[in-house]
mmCIF file of all heavy atoms in Angstrom:
data_model
loop_
_atom_site.group_PDB
_atom_site.id
_atom_site.type_symbol
_atom_site.label_atom_id
_atom_site.label_comp_id
_atom_site.label_asym_id
_atom_site.label_seq_id
_atom_site.Cartn_x
_atom_site.Cartn_y
_atom_site.Cartn_z
ATOM 1 N N SER A 33 -100.664 -17.008 -136.459
ATOM 2 C CA SER A 33 -100.085 -16.355 -137.628
ATOM 3 C C SER A 33 -99.537 -14.973 -137.266
ATOM 4 O O SER A 33 -98.438 -14.598 -137.675
ATOM 5 C CB SER A 33 -101.147 -16.243 -138.725
ATOM 6 O OG SER A 33 -100.728 -15.374 -139.738
ATOM 7 N N VAL A 34 -100.302 -14.234 -136.480
ATOM 8 C CA VAL A 34 -99.867 -12.898 -136.058
ATOM 9 C C VAL A 34 -98.655 -13.014 -135.137
ATOM 10 O O VAL A 34 -97.692 -12.251 -135.258
ATOM 11 C CB VAL A 34 -101.026 -12.139 -135.379
ATOM 12 C CG1 VAL A 34 -100.562 -10.801 -134.834
ATOM 13 C CG2 VAL A 34 -102.181 -11.947 -136.358
ATOM 14 N N ASP A 35 -98.700 -13.972 -134.209
ATOM 15 C CA ASP A 35 -97.568 -14.185 -133.299
ATOM 16 C C ASP A 35 -96.283 -14.445 -134.071
ATOM 17 O O ASP A 35 -95.250 -13.840 -133.795
ATOM 18 C CB ASP A 35 -97.817 -15.373 -132.370
ATOM 19 C CG ASP A 35 -98.752 -15.042 -131.220
ATOM 20 O OD1 ASP A 35 -99.173 -13.879 -131.102
ATOM 21 O OD2 ASP A 35 -99.066 -15.966 -130.452
ATOM 22 N N SER A 36 -96.338 -15.355 -135.040
ATOM 23 C CA SER A 36 -95.123 -15.706 -135.773
ATOM 24 C C SER A 36 -94.603 -14.534 -136.598
ATOM 25 O O SER A 36 -93.411 -14.414 -136.831
ATOM 26 C CB SER A 36 -95.347 -16.934 -136.648
ATOM 27 O OG SER A 36 -96.281 -16.648 -137.663
ATOM 28 N N LYS A 37 -95.500 -13.660 -136.999
ATOM 29 C CA LYS A 37 -95.096 -12.506 -137.814
ATOM 30 C C LYS A 37 -94.457 -11.396 -136.975
ATOM 31 O O LYS A 37 -93.518 -10.747 -137.415
ATOM 32 C CB LYS A 37 -96.314 -11.962 -138.554
ATOM 33 C CG LYS A 37 -96.019 -10.820 -139.489
ATOM 34 C CD LYS A 37 -97.258 -10.419 -140.269
ATOM 35 C CE LYS A 37 -96.963 -9.279 -141.222
ATOM 36 N NZ LYS A 37 -98.152 -8.888 -141.991
ATOM 37 N N TYR A 38 -94.951 -11.180 -135.740
ATOM 38 C CA TYR A 38 -94.535 -10.013 -134.966
ATOM 39 C C TYR A 38 -93.700 -10.310 -133.722
ATOM 40 O O TYR A 38 -93.124 -9.391 -133.158
ATOM 41 C CB TYR A 38 -95.757 -9.183 -134.568
ATOM 42 C CG TYR A 38 -96.407 -8.528 -135.758
ATOM 43 C CD1 TYR A 38 -97.601 -9.016 -136.270
ATOM 44 C CD2 TYR A 38 -95.810 -7.448 -136.391
ATOM 45 C CE1 TYR A 38 -98.189 -8.440 -137.379
ATOM 46 C CE2 TYR A 38 -96.395 -6.864 -137.496
ATOM 47 C CZ TYR A 38 -97.598 -7.364 -137.979
ATOM 48 O OH TYR A 38 -98.169 -6.783 -139.078
ATOM 49 N N ARG A 39 -93.606 -11.547 -133.300
ATOM 50 C CA ARG A 39 -92.777 -11.813 -132.131
ATOM 51 C C ARG A 39 -91.313 -11.709 -132.514
ATOM 52 O O ARG A 39 -90.947 -11.927 -133.672
ATOM 53 C CB ARG A 39 -93.118 -13.165 -131.509
ATOM 54 C CG ARG A 39 -92.568 -14.340 -132.276
ATOM 55 C CD ARG A 39 -92.953 -15.700 -131.730
ATOM 56 N NE ARG A 39 -92.671 -15.799 -130.333
ATOM 57 C CZ ARG A 39 -93.251 -16.669 -129.525
ATOM 58 N NH1 ARG A 39 -94.146 -17.498 -129.988
ATOM 59 N NH2 ARG A 39 -92.931 -16.730 -128.268
ATOM 60 N N THR A 40 -90.498 -11.342 -131.547
ATOM 61 C CA THR A 40 -89.061 -11.220 -131.774
ATOM 62 C C THR A 40 -88.330 -12.100 -130.764
ATOM 63 O O THR A 40 -88.961 -12.733 -129.913
ATOM 64 C CB THR A 40 -88.584 -9.762 -131.605
ATOM 65 O OG1 THR A 40 -88.663 -9.407 -130.216
ATOM 66 C CG2 THR A 40 -89.420 -8.801 -132.447
ATOM 67 N N GLU A 41 -87.016 -12.105 -130.827
ATOM 68 C CA GLU A 41 -86.220 -12.871 -129.872
ATOM 69 C C GLU A 41 -86.432 -12.384 -128.446
ATOM 70 O O GLU A 41 -86.269 -13.143 -127.496
ATOM 71 C CB GLU A 41 -84.737 -12.791 -130.232
ATOM 72 C CG GLU A 41 -84.365 -13.554 -131.475
ATOM 73 C CD GLU A 41 -82.882 -13.448 -131.796
ATOM 74 O OE1 GLU A 41 -82.100 -13.037 -130.920
ATOM 75 O OE2 GLU A 41 -82.525 -13.792 -132.928
ATOM 76 N N ALA A 42 -86.800 -11.108 -128.291
ATOM 77 C CA ALA A 42 -87.011 -10.542 -126.959
ATOM 78 C C ALA A 42 -88.428 -10.782 -126.433
ATOM 79 O O ALA A 42 -88.734 -10.431 -125.298
ATOM 80 C CB ALA A 42 -86.730 -9.037 -126.991
ATOM 81 N N SER A 43 -89.299 -11.372 -127.250
ATOM 82 C CA SER A 43 -90.690 -11.592 -126.849
ATOM 83 C C SER A 43 -90.819 -12.698 -125.812
ATOM 84 O O SER A 43 -90.168 -13.734 -125.915
ATOM 85 C CB SER A 43 -91.545 -11.966 -128.060
ATOM 86 O OG SER A 43 -91.746 -10.867 -128.898
ATOM 87 N N HIS A 44 -91.677 -12.432 -124.852
ATOM 88 C CA HIS A 44 -92.032 -13.412 -123.828
ATOM 89 C C HIS A 44 -93.536 -13.355 -123.640
ATOM 90 O O HIS A 44 -94.167 -12.311 -123.869
ATOM 91 C CB HIS A 44 -91.349 -13.095 -122.493
ATOM 92 C CG HIS A 44 -89.873 -13.047 -122.571
ATOM 93 N ND1 HIS A 44 -89.080 -14.171 -122.500
ATOM 94 C CD2 HIS A 44 -89.025 -12.004 -122.724
ATOM 95 C CE1 HIS A 44 -87.811 -13.818 -122.600
ATOM 96 N NE2 HIS A 44 -87.745 -12.507 -122.743
ATOM 97 N N PHE A 45 -94.110 -14.459 -123.190
ATOM 98 C CA PHE A 45 -95.537 -14.512 -122.898
ATOM 99 C C PHE A 45 -95.711 -15.029 -121.476
ATOM 100 O O PHE A 45 -95.048 -15.997 -121.082
ATOM 101 C CB PHE A 45 -96.265 -15.417 -123.890
ATOM 102 C CG PHE A 45 -96.273 -14.859 -125.284
ATOM 103 C CD1 PHE A 45 -95.256 -15.179 -126.174
ATOM 104 C CD2 PHE A 45 -97.277 -14.000 -125.705
ATOM 105 C CE1 PHE A 45 -95.243 -14.653 -127.458
ATOM 106 C CE2 PHE A 45 -97.273 -13.473 -126.988
ATOM 107 C CZ PHE A 45 -96.262 -13.799 -127.862
ATOM 108 N N LEU A 46 -96.580 -14.370 -120.737
ATOM 109 C CA LEU A 46 -96.867 -14.755 -119.363
ATOM 110 C C LEU A 46 -98.367 -14.965 -119.235
ATOM 111 O O LEU A 46 -99.152 -14.100 -119.657
ATOM 112 C CB LEU A 46 -96.409 -13.647 -118.398
ATOM 113 C CG LEU A 46 -96.792 -13.809 -116.928
ATOM 114 C CD1 LEU A 46 -96.081 -15.013 -116.310
ATOM 115 C CD2 LEU A 46 -96.455 -12.533 -116.153
#
Side-chain angles (χ1 to χ4, degrees):
S33 167
V34 175
D35 282 357
S36 65
K37 183 175 181 180
Y38 292 105
R39 76 183 309 159
T40 70
E41 289 180 15
S43 288
H44 302 277
F45 293 91
L46 173 66

